[in-house]
Coordinates of all heavy atoms in Angstrom, one line a residue:
V29 N 88.7 39.5 -125.4 CA 87.8 39.5 -126.5 C 88.7 39.3 -127.8 O 89.5 40.2 -128.2 CB 87.1 40.8 -126.7 CG1 86.0 40.7 -127.8 CG2 86.4 41.1 -125.3
G30 N 88.7 38.1 -128.4 CA 89.6 37.8 -129.5 C 91.0 37.9 -129.0 O 91.4 37.2 -128.0
D31 N 91.8 38.8 -129.6 CA 93.2 38.9 -129.2 C 93.4 40.2 -128.4 O 94.6 40.6 -128.3 CB 94.1 38.9 -130.5 CG 93.8 40.0 -131.5 OD1 92.8 40.8 -131.2 OD2 94.5 40.2 -132.5
A32 N 92.4 40.7 -127.8 CA 92.5 41.9 -127.0 C 92.2 41.6 -125.6 O 91.3 40.8 -125.3 CB 91.6 43.0 -127.5
T33 N 92.9 42.2 -124.6 CA 92.7 42.0 -123.2 C 92.4 43.3 -122.5 O 93.1 44.3 -122.7 CB 94.0 41.3 -122.6 OG1 94.2 40.1 -123.2 CG2 93.8 41.1 -121.1
Y34 N 91.5 43.3 -121.6 CA 91.0 44.4 -120.8 C 91.2 44.1 -119.3 O 90.5 43.1 -118.9 CB 89.6 44.8 -121.2 CG 89.5 45.1 -122.7 CD1 89.2 44.0 -123.5 CD2 89.6 46.3 -123.2 CE1 89.1 44.2 -124.9 CE2 89.5 46.5 -124.6 CZ 89.3 45.4 -125.4 OH 89.2 45.6 -126.8
I35 N 91.9 44.8 -118.6 CA 92.3 44.5 -117.2 C 91.4 45.3 -116.3 O 91.2 46.6 -116.5 CB 93.7 44.8 -116.9 CG1 94.6 44.0 -117.8 CG2 94.0 44.6 -115.4 CD1 94.6 42.5 -117.5
I36 N 90.8 44.7 -115.3 CA 90.1 45.4 -114.2 C 90.8 45.0 -112.9 O 90.7 43.9 -112.5 CB 88.6 45.0 -114.1 CG1 87.9 45.3 -115.4 CG2 87.9 45.8 -113.0 CD1 87.8 46.8 -115.9
D37 N 91.4 46.0 -112.3 CA 92.2 45.9 -111.1 C 93.5 45.1 -111.3 O 93.6 44.2 -112.2 CB 91.5 45.2 -109.9 CG 90.6 46.2 -109.2 OD1 90.8 47.5 -109.3 OD2 89.6 45.8 -108.5
A38 N 94.5 45.5 -110.6 CA 95.9 45.0 -110.8 C 96.6 44.9 -109.5 O 97.6 45.5 -109.2 CB 96.6 46.0 -111.7
G39 N 96.1 43.9 -108.7 CA 96.8 43.6 -107.4 C 98.2 43.0 -107.7 O 98.5 42.6 -108.8
N40 N 98.9 42.9 -106.6 CA 100.3 42.3 -106.6 C 100.3 41.0 -107.3 O 99.5 40.1 -107.0 CB 100.8 42.2 -105.2 CG 102.2 41.6 -105.1 OD1 102.3 40.5 -104.5 ND2 103.2 42.1 -105.8
G41 N 101.2 40.8 -108.3 CA 101.4 39.5 -108.9 C 100.7 39.4 -110.2 O 100.8 38.3 -110.9
I42 N 100.0 40.4 -110.7 CA 99.2 40.3 -111.9 C 100.0 39.9 -113.2 O 99.6 39.1 -114.0 CB 98.3 41.5 -112.2 CG1 97.4 41.3 -113.4 CG2 99.2 42.8 -112.3 CD1 96.4 42.4 -113.7
A43 N 101.2 40.5 -113.3 CA 102.0 40.2 -114.5 C 102.3 38.7 -114.6 O 102.2 38.0 -115.6 CB 103.3 41.0 -114.5
R44 N 102.7 38.1 -113.5 CA 103.0 36.6 -113.5 C 101.7 35.8 -113.7 O 101.7 34.8 -114.4 CB 103.7 36.2 -112.2 CG 104.3 34.8 -112.2 CD 105.4 34.7 -111.1 NE 106.1 33.4 -111.3 CZ 105.9 32.4 -110.5 NH1 105.0 32.4 -109.5 NH2 106.6 31.3 -110.6
Q45 N 100.6 36.3 -113.2 CA 99.3 35.6 -113.4 C 99.0 35.6 -114.9 O 98.4 34.6 -115.4 CB 98.2 36.2 -112.5 CG 98.4 36.0 -111.0 CD 98.3 34.6 -110.6 OE1 99.3 33.9 -110.5 NE2 97.1 34.1 -110.4
M46 N 99.2 36.7 -115.5 CA 99.0 36.8 -117.0 C 99.8 35.7 -117.7 O 99.4 35.1 -118.6 CB 99.3 38.2 -117.5 CG 98.1 39.1 -117.3 SD 98.3 40.7 -118.2 CE 98.0 40.1 -119.9
A47 N 101.1 35.6 -117.2 CA 102.0 34.6 -117.9 C 101.5 33.2 -117.6 O 101.4 32.4 -118.6 CB 103.4 34.8 -117.3
F48 N 101.0 32.9 -116.4 CA 100.4 31.6 -116.2 C 99.2 31.4 -117.0 O 99.0 30.2 -117.5 CB 100.0 31.5 -114.7 CG 101.2 31.2 -113.8 CD1 101.3 31.9 -112.6 CD2 102.0 30.1 -114.0 CE1 102.4 31.6 -111.7 CE2 103.1 29.8 -113.2 CZ 103.2 30.6 -112.0
A49 N 98.4 32.4 -117.2 CA 97.2 32.3 -118.0 C 97.4 32.3 -119.5 O 96.5 32.2 -120.3 CB 96.2 33.4 -117.7
K50 N 98.7 32.5 -119.9 CA 99.1 32.6 -121.3 C 98.3 33.7 -122.1 O 98.0 33.5 -123.2 CB 98.9 31.2 -122.0 CG 99.8 30.1 -121.4 CD 99.6 28.8 -122.1 CE 100.6 27.8 -121.7 NZ 100.7 27.6 -120.3
L51 N 98.2 34.8 -121.4 CA 97.6 36.0 -122.0 C 98.8 36.9 -122.5 O 99.6 37.3 -121.7 CB 96.8 36.8 -121.0 CG 95.6 36.1 -120.5 CD1 94.9 37.0 -119.5 CD2 94.6 35.7 -121.6
P52 N 98.9 37.1 -123.8 CA 100.0 37.9 -124.3 C 100.0 39.3 -123.8 O 99.0 40.0 -123.7 CB 99.7 38.0 -125.8 CG 98.8 36.8 -126.1 CD 98.0 36.7 -124.9
F53 N 101.2 39.8 -123.4 CA 101.3 41.1 -122.8 C 100.9 42.2 -123.8 O 100.4 43.3 -123.5 CB 102.7 41.4 -122.2 CG 103.0 40.5 -121.0 CD1 103.9 39.5 -121.0 CD2 102.2 40.7 -119.8 CE1 104.2 38.8 -119.9 CE2 102.5 40.0 -118.7 CZ 103.4 39.0 -118.7
D54 N 101.2 42.0 -125.1 CA 100.9 43.0 -126.1 C 99.5 43.0 -126.5 O 99.1 43.7 -127.4 CB 101.8 42.8 -127.3 CG 101.6 41.5 -128.0 OD1 100.9 40.6 -127.5 OD2 102.2 41.3 -129.1
S55 N 98.6 42.2 -125.8 CA 97.2 42.2 -126.0 C 96.4 43.2 -125.2 O 95.3 43.5 -125.4 CB 96.6 40.8 -125.8 OG 96.6 40.5 -124.4
I56 N 97.1 43.9 -124.2 CA 96.5 44.8 -123.3 C 96.1 46.0 -124.0 O 96.9 46.7 -124.6 CB 97.4 45.1 -122.1 CG1 97.8 43.8 -121.3 CG2 96.7 46.1 -121.2 CD1 98.8 44.1 -120.3
R57 N 94.8 46.4 -124.0 CA 94.3 47.6 -124.6 C 93.9 48.6 -123.5 O 94.0 49.9 -123.8 CB 93.1 47.3 -125.4 CG 93.4 46.6 -126.8 CD 92.2 46.8 -127.7 NE 92.4 46.2 -129.0 CZ 91.5 46.3 -130.0 NH1 90.4 46.9 -129.8 NH2 91.8 45.7 -131.2
A58 N 93.3 48.2 -122.4 CA 92.9 49.1 -121.4 C 93.0 48.5 -120.0 O 93.0 47.3 -119.9 CB 91.4 49.5 -121.7
M59 N 93.0 49.4 -119.0 CA 93.1 48.9 -117.6 C 92.3 49.8 -116.7 O 92.5 51.1 -116.8 CB 94.5 48.8 -117.1 CG 94.6 48.4 -115.6 SD 96.4 48.3 -115.1 CE 96.9 50.0 -115.2
G60 N 91.3 49.3 -116.0 CA 90.5 50.1 -115.0 C 90.8 49.7 -113.6 O 90.9 48.5 -113.3
I61 N 91.0 50.6 -112.7 CA 91.2 50.4 -111.3 C 89.9 50.8 -110.6 O 89.4 51.9 -110.8 CB 92.4 51.2 -110.8 CG1 93.6 50.9 -111.6 CG2 92.6 51.0 -109.3 CD1 94.1 49.5 -111.5
T62 N 89.5 49.9 -109.7 CA 88.2 50.2 -109.0 C 88.4 51.2 -107.9 O 87.5 52.0 -107.6 CB 87.6 48.9 -108.4 OG1 88.5 48.3 -107.5 CG2 87.2 47.9 -109.5
H63 N 89.5 51.1 -107.1 CA 89.8 52.0 -106.0 C 91.2 51.8 -105.6 O 91.9 50.9 -106.0 CB 88.8 51.8 -104.9 CG 89.0 50.4 -104.2 ND1 88.6 49.2 -104.7 CD2 89.5 50.1 -103.0 CE1 88.8 48.2 -103.9 NE2 89.4 48.8 -102.8
H64 N 91.7 52.7 -104.8 CA 93.1 52.8 -104.4 C 93.4 52.2 -103.1 O 94.0 52.8 -102.2 CB 93.6 54.3 -104.6 CG 93.4 54.7 -106.0 ND1 93.9 54.1 -107.1 CD2 92.7 55.8 -106.5 CE1 93.6 54.8 -108.2 NE2 92.9 55.8 -107.8
H65 N 93.0 50.9 -102.9 CA 93.6 50.1 -101.9 C 94.7 49.2 -102.6 O 94.5 48.8 -103.7 CB 92.5 49.2 -101.2 CG 91.9 49.9 -100.1 ND1 90.6 49.6 -99.7 CD2 92.3 50.7 -99.1 CE1 90.2 50.3 -98.6 NE2 91.3 51.0 -98.3
S66 N 95.7 48.9 -101.8 CA 96.9 48.3 -102.5 C 96.6 46.9 -103.0 O 97.3 46.5 -104.0 CB 98.0 48.3 -101.5 OG 97.6 47.6 -100.3
D67 N 95.6 46.2 -102.5 CA 95.4 44.9 -103.1 C 94.6 45.0 -104.4 O 94.5 44.0 -105.1 CB 94.6 44.0 -102.1 CG 93.3 44.7 -101.5 OD1 93.3 45.9 -101.3 OD2 92.3 44.0 -101.3
H68 N 94.3 46.2 -104.9 CA 93.7 46.4 -106.2 C 94.5 47.2 -107.1 O 94.3 47.1 -108.3 CB 92.3 47.1 -106.0 CG 91.3 46.3 -105.2 ND1 90.3 45.7 -105.9 CD2 91.2 46.0 -103.9 CE1 89.5 45.0 -104.9 NE2 90.1 45.2 -103.8
N69 N 95.5 47.9 -106.6 CA 96.3 48.8 -107.6 C 97.8 48.6 -107.4 O 98.5 49.3 -108.2 CB 95.9 50.2 -107.4 CG 96.4 50.9 -106.1 OD1 97.0 50.2 -105.3 ND2 96.2 52.2 -106.0
A70 N 98.3 47.8 -106.6 CA 99.7 47.7 -106.3 C 100.6 47.5 -107.5 O 101.7 48.0 -107.6 CB 100.0 46.7 -105.2
D71 N 100.1 46.7 -108.4 CA 100.9 46.4 -109.6 C 100.4 47.0 -110.9 O 100.7 46.5 -112.0 CB 101.1 44.9 -109.8 CG 102.2 44.3 -108.9 OD1 102.8 45.1 -108.1 OD2 102.5 43.1 -108.9
A72 N 99.6 48.0 -110.8 CA 99.0 48.7 -112.0 C 100.1 49.2 -112.9 O 100.1 48.9 -114.1 CB 98.0 49.8 -111.6
G73 N 101.0 49.9 -112.3 CA 102.1 50.4 -113.1 C 103.1 49.3 -113.5 O 103.6 49.3 -114.6
T74 N 103.4 48.4 -112.5 CA 104.3 47.4 -112.8 C 103.9 46.5 -113.9 O 104.7 46.1 -114.7 CB 104.5 46.5 -111.5 OG1 105.0 47.4 -110.5 CG2 105.5 45.4 -111.7
L75 N 102.6 46.2 -114.0 CA 102.1 45.3 -115.1 C 102.4 46.0 -116.4 O 103.0 45.3 -117.3 CB 100.6 45.1 -115.0 CG 99.9 44.5 -116.2 CD1 100.5 43.1 -116.5 CD2 98.4 44.5 -116.1
L76 N 102.1 47.2 -116.6 CA 102.3 47.8 -117.9 C 103.8 48.0 -118.2 O 104.3 47.9 -119.3 CB 101.6 49.2 -117.9 CG 100.1 49.1 -117.8 CD1 99.4 50.4 -117.9 CD2 99.5 48.1 -118.8
H77 N 104.6 48.3 -117.1 CA 106.1 48.5 -117.3 C 106.7 47.1 -117.8 O 107.4 47.1 -118.7 CB 106.6 48.9 -116.0 CG 108.1 49.2 -116.0 ND1 108.9 49.3 -114.9 CD2 109.0 49.3 -117.1 CE1 110.1 49.5 -115.2 NE2 110.2 49.5 -116.5
L78 N 106.3 46.0 -117.1 CA 106.8 44.7 -117.4 C 106.3 44.3 -118.8 O 107.0 43.6 -119.5 CB 106.5 43.7 -116.4 CG 107.2 44.0 -115.0 CD1 106.8 42.9 -114.0 CD2 108.7 44.1 -115.1
A79 N 105.1 44.6 -119.1 CA 104.5 44.3 -120.4 C 105.3 45.0 -121.5 O 105.6 44.5 -122.6 CB 103.1 44.6 -120.5
W80 N 105.6 46.3 -121.2 CA 106.5 47.1 -122.2 C 107.9 46.4 -122.3 O 108.4 46.4 -123.4 CB 106.6 48.5 -121.6 CG 107.5 49.4 -122.4 CD1 107.2 50.1 -123.5 CD2 108.8 49.8 -121.9 NE1 108.3 50.9 -123.8 CE2 109.3 50.7 -122.9 CE3 109.6 49.4 -120.9 CZ2 110.6 51.3 -122.8 CZ3 110.9 50.0 -120.7 CH2 111.4 50.9 -121.7

Side-chain angles (χ1 to χ4, degrees):
V29 187
D31 60 358
T33 300
Y34 305 85
I35 300 295
I36 303 296
D37 279 338
N40 176 239
I42 183 174
R44 194 158 186 253
Q45 293 296 92
M46 281 192 67
F48 280 132
K50 296 181 170 54
L51 296 178
F53 291 113
D54 63 353
S55 69
I56 301 172
R57 286 196 180 186
M59 177 177 67
I61 302 300
T62 61
H63 66 287
H64 299 306
H65 271 151
S66 54
D67 51 326
H68 294 257
N69 73 356
D71 277 4
T74 299
L75 168 62
L76 298 181
H77 183 195
L78 296 180
W80 173 82

